[in-house]
Amino acid sequence: MFTTRPEIAGTFGVVASTHWLASQVGMAVLERGGNAFDAATAAAFTLHVAEPHLNGPGGDAPIILHSAVSGRQHVICGQGPSPAAASIEAFEKLGLDLVPGTGLLCAVVPGAFDAWCVMLRDWGTWELADVLAYAIGYARNGVHVVPRVSATISRVRPLFQEAWPTSAEVFLVNGDAPAPGSLFRRPALADTYERLVGEAVGATREGRIDAARAAWYKGFVAEAVDKFFRGQDILDTSGRRHRGLLTADDFAIWSASVEEPLAYDYRDHTVLKCGPWSQGPVFLQQLALLRGFDLGDLDPVGGEFVHLVTEAAKLAYADREAYYGDPNFVSVPMETLLSDDYNGNRRRLIAETASAALRPGSIPGYAAEVDHHAADRLALLDDDAAAGAGEPTLARLGASGGDTCHIDVIDRFGNMVSATPSAGWLQSSPVIPELGFPMGSRGQMFWLKPGLPNSLEPSKRPRTTLSPSFALRDGEPWMAFGTPGGEQQDQWSTIMFLRMVHHGLGIQQAIDLPSFHSEHWPSSFWPRVARPGKLVLEGRFADDVLEDLLARGHDASRGEDWSEGRLSGARIEADGQMYAGANPRGMQGYAVGR
């Protein structure tokens, strides 16, 4: 099978990510003796500089890791919670029925920095100064501007100039977006990272990392955010100006947690995901539904395969809407949702024709309430807010969805990392001038209706779309993989996994095959719209596949030839060989290794 690039193979180490600079930085760390945890952390901070339209220091980072020393896998929850002052009543007083998608009201505690520091401290070997050196160098000396960074800044340039002057100062060059191919410098961000390094003082490596964490969450970073949020009235997607709710106290009481991953066994494989504070379990629910079909007998780019996977996704995502939320606040019936009996009953709903309904399952003791009016909010979007695969979908006043990065690493010791950093995008909120970066906007994923699993409450984690993936084969660590894409993350990743397991494809082959996604259920991003029945195929699908799906009742259409997914992955086989692949779409993702 033709692939756009070779699947990297080696025995020393492999790195795959959504940007070639991050991949090469990760590989450089491995070459200098670092392990996978050091490499992933250095790559992540590099992505803050290289892909500022997709993630930033003020964002989030869920991580799944495998430790070769302990032989165990862990989740690091780098998803920060809502401010203590954030409540449904507080938003009602402001006359809001949706959390804005931009500005200050949607900010949560930025979790990425602590997640990376916890992993570096507990599993890594390098000093924080060493892993930050790459990002500091790019921020200080300049990073190559890819076209989509320039395009994103161009689209929000009027907002920056008219309402967000601190962002204009950082991201505009002589009043315009930096040109594609130019070098772009972030001196204030470099200063922030260098100050963190300077405050990382202690008798041990672990103590120095903890000192930097304290500088971030109990020191100058938290104080700068607090000051800005208290003193600025910022324009957001509501069309009005609001001050923020996030305070230094919110920073001080939170830290990234280490959790056990959720697991589901599927045909000699075990897939691991983050808990129901993320959408990750929908991957597992799709597998539980699809295990009743012999997908290996189907063409992986045929109409029957697309139909079955899409219908399973509709059912799993309906359950996401009905049942998922921060388990520190709500009871999530995860055992039932993954049980054979429950999925056997749900599987019978998958018919030969497409369903137009949003159908969560019924579980005794739980109210399966979902939003059936999400399609009515389509009018809130600008006409030019056309979806792009895995790239910013910009609406008025900077609103965006699907903006994310991904990193996979395997080292010579057998350590593995799968991470999906996101948020803190340049278009999410104004730059904090003392820090050189904006806060995130993950709070837009809360509902402002009481009684739902994902309803807004103080100090609660929003049900994030961020969803790294990890798989074992025959009980042994096998593959780290994932993708940007918002709602599409656990569609594209599931499709890749199914094609590898059922059709024997390698990583690059599975990434390169044309993919697809549904927009049937309410989006997690402002203004929380749904497009019932909508199914988007990559343009390389055959005419007869589109005709088959239309005949089945799908609202199906084809996009551009290379438009679906930004997947990457890294796997290790029983003979010790490592393989990695990355997405060719957008000409940014890259896999390296030897």
Side-chain angles (χ1 to χ4, degrees), residues 66 73 268-271 410 416 470-481 496-497 500-501 505-507 570-574 577-579:
H66 167 74
Q73 299 82 42
D268 301 323
H269 297 77
T270 302
V271 178
I410 307 176
M416 301 174 68
F470 194 96
L472 293 83
R473 174 182 278 176
D474 296 323
E476 296 297 324
W478 179 53
M479 185 166 66
F481 62 113
M496 170 184 168
F497 176 80
M500 293 181 70
V501 170
L505 300 184
I507 291 173
R571 77 180 198 273
I572 184 168
E573 296 294 348
Q577 290 198 78
M578 306 169 193
Y579 299 84

PDB file of all heavy atoms in Angstrom, residues 66 73 268-271 410 416 470-481 496-497 500-501 505-507 570-574 577-579:
ATOM      1  N   HIS A  66       3.470   5.047  30.238  1.00  0.00           N
ATOM      2  CA  HIS A  66       3.859   3.705  30.694  1.00  0.00           C
ATOM      3  C   HIS A  66       5.268   3.785  31.244  1.00  0.00           C
ATOM      4  O   HIS A  66       6.188   4.285  30.580  1.00  0.00           O
ATOM      5  CB  HIS A  66       3.830   2.695  29.550  1.00  0.00           C
ATOM      6  CG  HIS A  66       4.517   1.406  29.892  1.00  0.00           C
ATOM      7  ND1 HIS A  66       3.956   0.472  30.738  1.00  0.00           N
ATOM      8  CD2 HIS A  66       5.738   0.904  29.541  1.00  0.00           C
ATOM      9  CE1 HIS A  66       4.789  -0.551  30.883  1.00  0.00           C
ATOM     10  NE2 HIS A  66       5.879  -0.313  30.171  1.00  0.00           N
ATOM     11  N   GLN A  73       0.822   1.650  33.877  1.00  0.00           N
ATOM     12  CA  GLN A  73       0.397   2.837  33.128  1.00  0.00           C
ATOM     13  C   GLN A  73      -0.355   3.776  34.067  1.00  0.00           C
ATOM     14  O   GLN A  73      -1.047   3.331  34.994  1.00  0.00           O
ATOM     15  CB  GLN A  73      -0.513   2.447  31.957  1.00  0.00           C
ATOM     16  CG  GLN A  73       0.142   1.536  30.934  1.00  0.00           C
ATOM     17  CD  GLN A  73       0.121   0.075  31.344  1.00  0.00           C
ATOM     18  OE1 GLN A  73      -0.883  -0.420  31.859  1.00  0.00           O
ATOM     19  NE2 GLN A  73       1.221  -0.630  31.139  1.00  0.00           N
ATOM     20  N   ASP A 268      -7.665  -9.162  21.853  1.00  0.00           N
ATOM     21  CA  ASP A 268      -6.257  -9.297  22.250  1.00  0.00           C
ATOM     22  C   ASP A 268      -5.579  -7.962  22.534  1.00  0.00           C
ATOM     23  O   ASP A 268      -4.358  -7.907  22.719  1.00  0.00           O
ATOM     24  CB  ASP A 268      -5.440 -10.065  21.204  1.00  0.00           C
ATOM     25  CG  ASP A 268      -5.986 -11.465  20.952  1.00  0.00           C
ATOM     26  OD1 ASP A 268      -6.439 -12.101  21.930  1.00  0.00           O
ATOM     27  OD2 ASP A 268      -5.969 -11.911  19.795  1.00  0.00           O
ATOM     28  N   HIS A 269      -6.324  -6.893  22.555  1.00  0.00           N
ATOM     29  CA  HIS A 269      -5.790  -5.577  22.872  1.00  0.00           C
ATOM     30  C   HIS A 269      -6.536  -5.009  24.084  1.00  0.00           C
ATOM     31  O   HIS A 269      -7.694  -5.365  24.337  1.00  0.00           O
ATOM     32  CB  HIS A 269      -5.946  -4.613  21.694  1.00  0.00           C
ATOM     33  CG  HIS A 269      -5.185  -5.019  20.470  1.00  0.00           C
ATOM     34  ND1 HIS A 269      -5.625  -6.031  19.638  1.00  0.00           N
ATOM     35  CD2 HIS A 269      -4.025  -4.551  19.939  1.00  0.00           C
ATOM     36  CE1 HIS A 269      -4.756  -6.177  18.643  1.00  0.00           C
ATOM     37  NE2 HIS A 269      -3.784  -5.302  18.802  1.00  0.00           N
ATOM     38  N   THR A 270      -5.872  -4.127  24.795  1.00  0.00           N
ATOM     39  CA  THR A 270      -6.505  -3.376  25.873  1.00  0.00           C
ATOM     40  C   THR A 270      -6.257  -1.901  25.599  1.00  0.00           C
ATOM     41  O   THR A 270      -5.101  -1.479  25.473  1.00  0.00           O
ATOM     42  CB  THR A 270      -5.922  -3.748  27.245  1.00  0.00           C
ATOM     43  OG1 THR A 270      -6.083  -5.150  27.469  1.00  0.00           O
ATOM     44  CG2 THR A 270      -6.620  -2.976  28.355  1.00  0.00           C
ATOM     45  N   VAL A 271      -7.326  -1.147  25.468  1.00  0.00           N
ATOM     46  CA  VAL A 271      -7.211   0.285  25.199  1.00  0.00           C
ATOM     47  C   VAL A 271      -7.389   1.046  26.506  1.00  0.00           C
ATOM     48  O   VAL A 271      -8.318   0.767  27.278  1.00  0.00           O
ATOM     49  CB  VAL A 271      -8.247   0.752  24.158  1.00  0.00           C
ATOM     50  CG1 VAL A 271      -8.147   2.257  23.933  1.00  0.00           C
ATOM     51  CG2 VAL A 271      -8.038   0.005  22.844  1.00  0.00           C
ATOM     52  N   ILE A 410       8.505   6.866  22.539  1.00  0.00           N
ATOM     53  CA  ILE A 410       8.987   5.616  23.120  1.00  0.00           C
ATOM     54  C   ILE A 410      10.506   5.717  23.201  1.00  0.00           C
ATOM     55  O   ILE A 410      11.155   6.149  22.245  1.00  0.00           O
ATOM     56  CB  ILE A 410       8.610   4.377  22.277  1.00  0.00           C
ATOM     57  CG1 ILE A 410       7.109   4.338  21.982  1.00  0.00           C
ATOM     58  CG2 ILE A 410       9.038   3.093  22.994  1.00  0.00           C
ATOM     59  CD1 ILE A 410       6.699   3.185  21.068  1.00  0.00           C
ATOM     60  N   MET A 416       6.926   4.925  27.627  1.00  0.00           N
ATOM     61  CA  MET A 416       6.056   5.433  26.563  1.00  0.00           C
ATOM     62  C   MET A 416       5.196   6.580  27.085  1.00  0.00           C
ATOM     63  O   MET A 416       4.789   6.580  28.246  1.00  0.00           O
ATOM     64  CB  MET A 416       5.158   4.313  26.029  1.00  0.00           C
ATOM     65  CG  MET A 416       5.928   3.120  25.476  1.00  0.00           C
ATOM     66  SD  MET A 416       4.883   1.718  25.004  1.00  0.00           S
ATOM     67  CE  MET A 416       3.995   2.383  23.589  1.00  0.00           C
ATOM     68  N   PHE A 470      -3.860   5.001  24.436  1.00  0.00           N
ATOM     69  CA  PHE A 470      -2.776   4.059  24.689  1.00  0.00           C
ATOM     70  C   PHE A 470      -3.349   2.652  24.565  1.00  0.00           C
ATOM     71  O   PHE A 470      -4.476   2.397  24.994  1.00  0.00           O
ATOM     72  CB  PHE A 470      -2.194   4.269  26.090  1.00  0.00           C
ATOM     73  CG  PHE A 470      -0.875   3.588  26.330  1.00  0.00           C
ATOM     74  CD1 PHE A 470       0.310   4.280  26.187  1.00  0.00           C
ATOM     75  CD2 PHE A 470      -0.821   2.241  26.695  1.00  0.00           C
ATOM     76  CE1 PHE A 470       1.535   3.654  26.404  1.00  0.00           C
ATOM     77  CE2 PHE A 470       0.389   1.606  26.904  1.00  0.00           C
ATOM     78  CZ  PHE A 470       1.570   2.313  26.759  1.00  0.00           C
ATOM     79  N   ALA A 471      -2.583   1.741  23.974  1.00  0.00           N
ATOM     80  CA  ALA A 471      -3.068   0.373  23.804  1.00  0.00           C
ATOM     81  C   ALA A 471      -1.998  -0.640  24.185  1.00  0.00           C
ATOM     82  O   ALA A 471      -0.804  -0.426  23.942  1.00  0.00           O
ATOM     83  CB  ALA A 471      -3.504   0.138  22.361  1.00  0.00           C
ATOM     84  N   LEU A 472      -2.455  -1.732  24.806  1.00  0.00           N
ATOM     85  CA  LEU A 472      -1.612  -2.891  25.061  1.00  0.00           C
ATOM     86  C   LEU A 472      -2.025  -4.005  24.103  1.00  0.00           C
ATOM     87  O   LEU A 472      -3.188  -4.068  23.672  1.00  0.00           O
ATOM     88  CB  LEU A 472      -1.764  -3.380  26.500  1.00  0.00           C
ATOM     89  CG  LEU A 472      -1.258  -2.472  27.619  1.00  0.00           C
ATOM     90  CD1 LEU A 472      -2.297  -1.409  27.972  1.00  0.00           C
ATOM     91  CD2 LEU A 472      -0.941  -3.291  28.864  1.00  0.00           C
ATOM     92  N   ARG A 473      -1.076  -4.848  23.759  1.00  0.00           N
ATOM     93  CA  ARG A 473      -1.377  -6.033  22.953  1.00  0.00           C
ATOM     94  C   ARG A 473      -0.915  -7.255  23.737  1.00  0.00           C
ATOM     95  O   ARG A 473       0.238  -7.323  24.159  1.00  0.00           O
ATOM     96  CB  ARG A 473      -0.689  -5.973  21.594  1.00  0.00           C
ATOM     97  CG  ARG A 473      -0.847  -7.255  20.773  1.00  0.00           C
ATOM     98  CD  ARG A 473      -0.109  -7.176  19.454  1.00  0.00           C
ATOM     99  NE  ARG A 473      -0.902  -6.461  18.455  1.00  0.00           N
ATOM    100  CZ  ARG A 473      -0.446  -6.187  17.227  1.00  0.00           C
ATOM    101  NH1 ARG A 473       0.781  -6.497  16.878  1.00  0.00           N
ATOM    102  NH2 ARG A 473      -1.232  -5.557  16.363  1.00  0.00           N
ATOM    103  N   ASP A 474      -1.820  -8.193  23.923  1.00  0.00           N
ATOM    104  CA  ASP A 474      -1.514  -9.393  24.716  1.00  0.00           C
ATOM    105  C   ASP A 474      -0.930  -9.025  26.076  1.00  0.00           C
ATOM    106  O   ASP A 474      -0.020  -9.691  26.592  1.00  0.00           O
ATOM    107  CB  ASP A 474      -0.552 -10.309  23.956  1.00  0.00           C
ATOM    108  CG  ASP A 474      -1.152 -10.846  22.671  1.00  0.00           C
ATOM    109  OD1 ASP A 474      -2.370 -11.145  22.670  1.00  0.00           O
ATOM    110  OD2 ASP A 474      -0.423 -10.948  21.662  1.00  0.00           O
ATOM    111  N   GLY A 475      -1.439  -7.946  26.650  1.00  0.00           N
ATOM    112  CA  GLY A 475      -1.034  -7.529  27.981  1.00  0.00           C
ATOM    113  C   GLY A 475       0.245  -6.734  28.052  1.00  0.00           C
ATOM    114  O   GLY A 475       0.648  -6.295  29.141  1.00  0.00           O
ATOM    115  N   GLU A 476       0.928  -6.526  26.918  1.00  0.00           N
ATOM    116  CA  GLU A 476       2.185  -5.787  26.892  1.00  0.00           C
ATOM    117  C   GLU A 476       1.980  -4.421  26.244  1.00  0.00           C
ATOM    118  O   GLU A 476       1.206  -4.296  25.287  1.00  0.00           O
ATOM    119  CB  GLU A 476       3.252  -6.562  26.110  1.00  0.00           C
ATOM    120  CG  GLU A 476       3.629  -7.891  26.741  1.00  0.00           C
ATOM    121  CD  GLU A 476       4.255  -7.733  28.106  1.00  0.00           C
ATOM    122  OE1 GLU A 476       4.996  -6.750  28.319  1.00  0.00           O
ATOM    123  OE2 GLU A 476       4.002  -8.598  28.978  1.00  0.00           O
ATOM    124  N   PRO A 477       2.653  -3.384  26.750  1.00  0.00           N
ATOM    125  CA  PRO A 477       2.521  -2.050  26.146  1.00  0.00           C
ATOM    126  C   PRO A 477       2.812  -2.105  24.651  1.00  0.00           C
ATOM    127  O   PRO A 477       3.823  -2.694  24.226  1.00  0.00           O
ATOM    128  CB  PRO A 477       3.567  -1.216  26.889  1.00  0.00           C
ATOM    129  CG  PRO A 477       3.777  -1.933  28.176  1.00  0.00           C
ATOM    130  CD  PRO A 477       3.588  -3.393  27.884  1.00  0.00           C
ATOM    131  N   TRP A 478       1.944  -1.495  23.861  1.00  0.00           N
ATOM    132  CA  TRP A 478       2.045  -1.620  22.407  1.00  0.00           C
ATOM    133  C   TRP A 478       2.102  -0.273  21.704  1.00  0.00           C
ATOM    134  O   TRP A 478       3.051   0.020  20.990  1.00  0.00           O
ATOM    135  CB  TRP A 478       0.871  -2.444  21.880  1.00  0.00           C
ATOM    136  CG  TRP A 478       0.852  -2.622  20.393  1.00  0.00           C
ATOM    137  CD1 TRP A 478       1.872  -3.101  19.624  1.00  0.00           C
ATOM    138  CD2 TRP A 478      -0.225  -2.339  19.492  1.00  0.00           C
ATOM    139  NE1 TRP A 478       1.499  -3.141  18.293  1.00  0.00           N
ATOM    140  CE2 TRP A 478       0.217  -2.684  18.190  1.00  0.00           C
ATOM    141  CE3 TRP A 478      -1.523  -1.847  19.666  1.00  0.00           C
ATOM    142  CZ2 TRP A 478      -0.599  -2.530  17.056  1.00  0.00           C
ATOM    143  CZ3 TRP A 478      -2.330  -1.710  18.546  1.00  0.00           C
ATOM    144  CH2 TRP A 478      -1.881  -2.032  17.261  1.00  0.00           C
ATOM    145  N   MET A 479       1.105   0.598  21.932  1.00  0.00           N
ATOM    146  CA  MET A 479       1.034   1.798  21.103  1.00  0.00           C
ATOM    147  C   MET A 479       0.536   3.008  21.878  1.00  0.00           C
ATOM    148  O   MET A 479      -0.438   2.925  22.618  1.00  0.00           O
ATOM    149  CB  MET A 479       0.127   1.561  19.885  1.00  0.00           C
ATOM    150  CG  MET A 479       0.102   2.726  18.900  1.00  0.00           C
ATOM    151  SD  MET A 479      -0.610   2.322  17.297  1.00  0.00           S
ATOM    152  CE  MET A 479      -2.329   1.977  17.721  1.00  0.00           C
ATOM    153  N   ALA A 480       1.215   4.136  21.673  1.00  0.00           N
ATOM    154  CA  ALA A 480       0.760   5.463  22.106  1.00  0.00           C
ATOM    155  C   ALA A 480       0.301   6.198  20.860  1.00  0.00           C
ATOM    156  O   ALA A 480       1.037   6.237  19.868  1.00  0.00           O
ATOM    157  CB  ALA A 480       1.899   6.212  22.790  1.00  0.00           C
ATOM    158  N   PHE A 481      -0.899   6.809  20.906  1.00  0.00           N
ATOM    159  CA  PHE A 481      -1.414   7.456  19.695  1.00  0.00           C
ATOM    160  C   PHE A 481      -2.478   8.482  20.051  1.00  0.00           C
ATOM    161  O   PHE A 481      -2.971   8.523  21.176  1.00  0.00           O
ATOM    162  CB  PHE A 481      -1.963   6.422  18.707  1.00  0.00           C
ATOM    163  CG  PHE A 481      -3.133   5.588  19.199  1.00  0.00           C
ATOM    164  CD1 PHE A 481      -4.384   5.720  18.633  1.00  0.00           C
ATOM    165  CD2 PHE A 481      -2.970   4.643  20.205  1.00  0.00           C
ATOM    166  CE1 PHE A 481      -5.453   4.940  19.053  1.00  0.00           C
ATOM    167  CE2 PHE A 481      -4.028   3.853  20.642  1.00  0.00           C
ATOM    168  CZ  PHE A 481      -5.274   4.010  20.062  1.00  0.00           C
ATOM    169  N   MET A 496      -8.533   4.739  13.259  1.00  0.00           N
ATOM    170  CA  MET A 496      -7.149   4.295  13.068  1.00  0.00           C
ATOM    171  C   MET A 496      -6.902   2.956  13.761  1.00  0.00           C
ATOM    172  O   MET A 496      -6.346   2.021  13.165  1.00  0.00           O
ATOM    173  CB  MET A 496      -6.196   5.357  13.613  1.00  0.00           C
ATOM    174  CG  MET A 496      -4.736   4.936  13.690  1.00  0.00           C
ATOM    175  SD  MET A 496      -3.724   6.236  14.459  1.00  0.00           S
ATOM    176  CE  MET A 496      -2.196   5.328  14.751  1.00  0.00           C
ATOM    177  N   PHE A 497      -7.322   2.862  15.017  1.00  0.00           N
ATOM    178  CA  PHE A 497      -7.126   1.635  15.790  1.00  0.00           C
ATOM    179  C   PHE A 497      -7.845   0.454  15.146  1.00  0.00           C
ATOM    180  O   PHE A 497      -7.272  -0.648  15.010  1.00  0.00           O
ATOM    181  CB  PHE A 497      -7.620   1.866  17.214  1.00  0.00           C
ATOM    182  CG  PHE A 497      -7.567   0.651  18.093  1.00  0.00           C
ATOM    183  CD1 PHE A 497      -6.382   0.255  18.679  1.00  0.00           C
ATOM    184  CD2 PHE A 497      -8.713  -0.097  18.343  1.00  0.00           C
ATOM    185  CE1 PHE A 497      -6.323  -0.867  19.501  1.00  0.00           C
ATOM    186  CE2 PHE A 497      -8.667  -1.222  19.157  1.00  0.00           C
ATOM    187  CZ  PHE A 497      -7.472  -1.609  19.736  1.00  0.00           C
ATOM    188  N   MET A 500      -6.068  -0.848  12.093  1.00  0.00           N
ATOM    189  CA  MET A 500      -4.850  -1.579  12.425  1.00  0.00           C
ATOM    190  C   MET A 500      -5.173  -2.970  12.966  1.00  0.00           C
ATOM    191  O   MET A 500      -4.555  -3.966  12.570  1.00  0.00           O
ATOM    192  CB  MET A 500      -4.023  -0.787  13.438  1.00  0.00           C
ATOM    193  CG  MET A 500      -3.458   0.518  12.888  1.00  0.00           C
ATOM    194  SD  MET A 500      -2.464   1.444  14.085  1.00  0.00           S
ATOM    195  CE  MET A 500      -1.001   0.372  14.205  1.00  0.00           C
ATOM    196  N   VAL A 501      -6.142  -3.056  13.854  1.00  0.00           N
ATOM    197  CA  VAL A 501      -6.474  -4.331  14.497  1.00  0.00           C
ATOM    198  C   VAL A 501      -7.168  -5.288  13.535  1.00  0.00           C
ATOM    199  O   VAL A 501      -6.849  -6.482  13.473  1.00  0.00           O
ATOM    200  CB  VAL A 501      -7.345  -4.080  15.745  1.00  0.00           C
ATOM    201  CG1 VAL A 501      -7.905  -5.391  16.301  1.00  0.00           C
ATOM    202  CG2 VAL A 501      -6.533  -3.356  16.816  1.00  0.00           C
ATOM    203  N   LEU A 505      -3.112  -3.088   9.255  1.00  0.00           N
ATOM    204  CA  LEU A 505      -2.367  -1.948   8.733  1.00  0.00           C
ATOM    205  C   LEU A 505      -1.327  -1.470   9.738  1.00  0.00           C
ATOM    206  O   LEU A 505      -1.484  -1.628  10.951  1.00  0.00           O
ATOM    207  CB  LEU A 505      -3.316  -0.799   8.409  1.00  0.00           C
ATOM    208  CG  LEU A 505      -4.413  -1.077   7.367  1.00  0.00           C
ATOM    209  CD1 LEU A 505      -5.195   0.204   7.104  1.00  0.00           C
ATOM    210  CD2 LEU A 505      -3.830  -1.632   6.081  1.00  0.00           C
ATOM    211  N   GLY A 506      -0.262  -0.869   9.227  1.00  0.00           N
ATOM    212  CA  GLY A 506       0.697  -0.188  10.066  1.00  0.00           C
ATOM    213  C   GLY A 506       0.191   1.190  10.432  1.00  0.00           C
ATOM    214  O   GLY A 506      -0.856   1.648   9.958  1.00  0.00           O
ATOM    215  N   ILE A 507       0.961   1.886  11.259  1.00  0.00           N
ATOM    216  CA  ILE A 507       0.536   3.215  11.714  1.00  0.00           C
ATOM    217  C   ILE A 507       0.383   4.163  10.541  1.00  0.00           C
ATOM    218  O   ILE A 507      -0.648   4.836  10.398  1.00  0.00           O
ATOM    219  CB  ILE A 507       1.540   3.778  12.739  1.00  0.00           C
ATOM    220  CG1 ILE A 507       1.485   2.985  14.043  1.00  0.00           C
ATOM    221  CG2 ILE A 507       1.244   5.256  13.026  1.00  0.00           C
ATOM    222  CD1 ILE A 507       2.557   3.371  15.047  1.00  0.00           C
ATOM    223  N   ALA A 570       3.006   5.840  17.907  1.00  0.00           N
ATOM    224  CA  ALA A 570       4.279   5.144  18.071  1.00  0.00           C
ATOM    225  C   ALA A 570       3.996   3.818  18.751  1.00  0.00           C
ATOM    226  O   ALA A 570       3.269   3.772  19.748  1.00  0.00           O
ATOM    227  CB  ALA A 570       5.248   5.980  18.895  1.00  0.00           C
ATOM    228  N   ARG A 571       4.576   2.738  18.227  1.00  0.00           N
ATOM    229  CA  ARG A 571       4.327   1.416  18.810  1.00  0.00           C
ATOM    230  C   ARG A 571       5.637   0.644  18.937  1.00  0.00           C
ATOM    231  O   ARG A 571       6.623   0.947  18.256  1.00  0.00           O
ATOM    232  CB  ARG A 571       3.323   0.636  17.974  1.00  0.00           C
ATOM    233  CG  ARG A 571       3.866   0.040  16.691  1.00  0.00           C
ATOM    234  CD  ARG A 571       2.780  -0.713  15.926  1.00  0.00           C
ATOM    235  NE  ARG A 571       3.315  -1.634  14.935  1.00  0.00           N
ATOM    236  CZ  ARG A 571       3.635  -1.317  13.689  1.00  0.00           C
ATOM    237  NH1 ARG A 571       3.456  -0.072  13.252  1.00  0.00           N
ATOM    238  NH2 ARG A 571       4.123  -2.221  12.862  1.00  0.00           N
ATOM    239  N   ILE A 572       5.631  -0.340  19.828  1.00  0.00           N
ATOM    240  CA  ILE A 572       6.785  -1.219  20.013  1.00  0.00           C
ATOM    241  C   ILE A 572       6.300  -2.651  19.913  1.00  0.00           C
ATOM    242  O   ILE A 572       5.268  -3.025  20.492  1.00  0.00           O
ATOM    243  CB  ILE A 572       7.485  -0.940  21.363  1.00  0.00           C
ATOM    244  CG1 ILE A 572       8.751  -1.789  21.505  1.00  0.00           C
ATOM    245  CG2 ILE A 572       6.539  -1.148  22.537  1.00  0.00           C
ATOM    246  CD1 ILE A 572       9.637  -1.360  22.669  1.00  0.00           C
ATOM    247  N   GLU A 573       7.029  -3.453  19.140  1.00  0.00           N
ATOM    248  CA  GLU A 573       6.639  -4.838  18.920  1.00  0.00           C
ATOM    249  C   GLU A 573       7.457  -5.774  19.807  1.00  0.00           C
ATOM    250  O   GLU A 573       8.424  -5.373  20.460  1.00  0.00           O
ATOM    251  CB  GLU A 573       6.803  -5.191  17.442  1.00  0.00           C
ATOM    252  CG  GLU A 573       5.898  -4.397  16.509  1.00  0.00           C
ATOM    253  CD  GLU A 573       4.412  -4.693  16.700  1.00  0.00           C
ATOM    254  OE1 GLU A 573       4.075  -5.681  17.389  1.00  0.00           O
ATOM    255  OE2 GLU A 573       3.579  -3.932  16.163  1.00  0.00           O
ATOM    256  N   ALA A 574       7.102  -7.061  19.796  1.00  0.00           N
ATOM    257  CA  ALA A 574       7.696  -8.031  20.708  1.00  0.00           C
ATOM    258  C   ALA A 574       9.197  -8.208  20.484  1.00  0.00           C
ATOM    259  O   ALA A 574       9.933  -8.556  21.418  1.00  0.00           O
ATOM    260  CB  ALA A 574       6.986  -9.376  20.563  1.00  0.00           C
ATOM    261  N   GLN A 577      11.500  -3.825  18.168  1.00  0.00           N
ATOM    262  CA  GLN A 577      11.475  -2.777  17.156  1.00  0.00           C
ATOM    263  C   GLN A 577      10.348  -1.782  17.445  1.00  0.00           C
ATOM    264  O   GLN A 577       9.251  -2.157  17.853  1.00  0.00           O
ATOM    265  CB  GLN A 577      11.291  -3.367  15.759  1.00  0.00           C
ATOM    266  CG  GLN A 577      12.489  -4.136  15.259  1.00  0.00           C
ATOM    267  CD  GLN A 577      12.435  -4.321  13.763  1.00  0.00           C
ATOM    268  OE1 GLN A 577      12.730  -3.417  12.980  1.00  0.00           O
ATOM    269  NE2 GLN A 577      12.043  -5.521  13.348  1.00  0.00           N
ATOM    270  N   MET A 578      10.678  -0.511  17.219  1.00  0.00           N
ATOM    271  CA  MET A 578       9.731   0.585  17.422  1.00  0.00           C
ATOM    272  C   MET A 578       9.353   1.179  16.069  1.00  0.00           C
ATOM    273  O   MET A 578      10.194   1.287  15.179  1.00  0.00           O
ATOM    274  CB  MET A 578      10.355   1.674  18.291  1.00  0.00           C
ATOM    275  CG  MET A 578      10.903   1.191  19.603  1.00  0.00           C
ATOM    276  SD  MET A 578      11.895   2.486  20.401  1.00  0.00           S
ATOM    277  CE  MET A 578      12.700   1.529  21.676  1.00  0.00           C
ATOM    278  N   TYR A 579       8.100   1.572  15.950  1.00  0.00           N
ATOM    279  CA  TYR A 579       7.594   2.150  14.706  1.00  0.00           C
ATOM    280  C   TYR A 579       6.832   3.428  15.038  1.00  0.00           C
ATOM    281  O   TYR A 579       6.222   3.542  16.106  1.00  0.00           O
ATOM    282  CB  TYR A 579       6.658   1.171  13.996  1.00  0.00           C
ATOM    283  CG  TYR A 579       7.310  -0.132  13.608  1.00  0.00           C
ATOM    284  CD1 TYR A 579       7.417  -1.178  14.520  1.00  0.00           C
ATOM    285  CD2 TYR A 579       7.834  -0.308  12.332  1.00  0.00           C
ATOM    286  CE1 TYR A 579       8.016  -2.379  14.180  1.00  0.00           C
ATOM    287  CE2 TYR A 579       8.434  -1.519  11.965  1.00  0.00           C
ATOM    288  CZ  TYR A 579       8.524  -2.544  12.898  1.00  0.00           C
ATOM    289  OH  TYR A 579       9.126  -3.728  12.546  1.00  0.00           O
TER     290      TYR A 579
END
